Amino acid sequence: MLVDSFGRNITYLRISVTDRCNLRCRYCMPQGGISYKVPAEILSFEEICRIARAASCLGVRKLRITGGEPLVRKDLSLLVRELRSIREIDEIALTTNGIYLSEYARELKEAGLDRVNVSLDSLVEDKFEKITRGGKLASVLKGIDALFAARLAPVRINTVLLKGFNDDEIMSFAQLTRTDPIDARFIEHMPTRLGHGACGDDQFFSAREAKEICGRLGRLIPVDRGSRSTARAYRIDGFYGTVGFISPITEPFCRSCDKLRLTSDGVLKSCLHLPHGIDIKEAMRGGATDEDLGRLIEKAVASKPRAHNLLTMPLGRNSENFSMCQIGG
Ligand code: SAM
Ligand code: SF4
């Protein structure tokens, strides 16, 4: 079992498979992108599977594939298939911007993918284009339909709350849950250096305010997603799907955090907001045994802080190392 210094049991590994992305969301990436890692620095599928296997031997049961945009990585379903063959893993999920989903939903399902989170910040075409700097809403909606067709429901839609941009669409997102198996989740914006300037503090909109707005559609009935869930989930009375609220800023969920992160260039990070991590790729490429990898995973878990430092560290101190697209959100 992987238990950190504060008694939290770590069972969830988020794996970033690329630092590249086909969108440029204003709060995540600068217009010109970031300086990408060269291909040799990025973990191969074999290396990812080896780390996932070592983590599963120590108690990890859930994997999430993320990025950058994971679907820009070629043959992603081969990775899913390989990860699926790890006996101890109960669930494999994917977080995507959805642009390429219509192309890959079916083969991902066949490869063994269990569920998908689609990031979607506006249901209005020109607003979507603006926040993503050029993305096409129609492609994402087609991707969501493809998830239903591939029996990858319920579909989670994750929306980063931005005051003055999409707070007027909270009802529309919640309405998506009326007749379909959709979990509409609202996430508080976290300040990052690379996203700063595009989304400032004046655009912060709390999950609590989003919940109040959803409550206007009907009584909110709590749904139990287990104590480790980052979202507080509710069903609006009479609705089919659920709404969820994720509040890393106003009500941090660090106390129940069960996550470890692996960046696309092979660094294990015990907290999204820590600037440093443990370079497991270097060790692996230097001839580390499976036992050595296990020890490095345990070391990363032991370094997990009690809570994130977002509210105490001035913006910029977390520097170049902190970019959501490199770590995977
Ligand atoms: N490209 C994929 C996507 O957009 O789903 C996966 C990677 S993206 C970094 C993962 C998640 O992080 C997305 O849901 C995105 O909205 C979220 N995210 C990125 N920057 C964020 C920020 N500053 N605050 C809150 N969420 C953020
Ligand atoms: Fe790309 Fe996802 Fe970041 Fe948007 S949030 S720029 S889709 S990595």
Side-chain angles (χ1 to χ4, degrees), residues 21-25 27-29 67-69 97 119 324-325:
C21 188
N22 49 348
L23 296 182
R24 293 284 178 274
C25 300
Y27 51 77
C28 180
M29 273 222 196
E69 172 46 39
N97 61 33
S119 306
M324 290 284 187
C325 43

Side-chain angles (χ1 to χ4, degrees), residues 27-28 66-69 95-97 119 160 188-190 192 324 328-329:
Y27 51 77
C28 180
T66 176
E69 172 46 39
T95 296
T96 171
N97 61 33
S119 306
V160 175
E188 288 177 352
H189 174 247
M190 294 175 268
T192 65
M324 290 284 187

Side-chain angles (χ1 to χ4, degrees), residues 1 4 12 18 28 48 50 61 67 92 102 139 146 164 166 172 183 213 258 281 323:
M1 252 187 17
D4 74 4
Y12 180 2
T18 178
C28 180
I48 291 173
R50 203 176 152 206
R61 295 291 173 265
I92 305 176
S102 62
S139 311
N166 60 10
S172 311
D183 299 337
I213 292 173
D258 59 352
K281 176 189 69 188
S323 118

Side-chain angles (χ1 to χ4, degrees), residues 103-120:
E103 215 173 307
Y104 294 115
R106 188 170 298 276
E107 69 175 66
L108 287 165
K109 168 75 180 178
E110 282 165 9
L113 189 70
D114 295 302
R115 58 161 59 238
V116 180
N117 288 11
V118 180
S119 306
L120 177 57

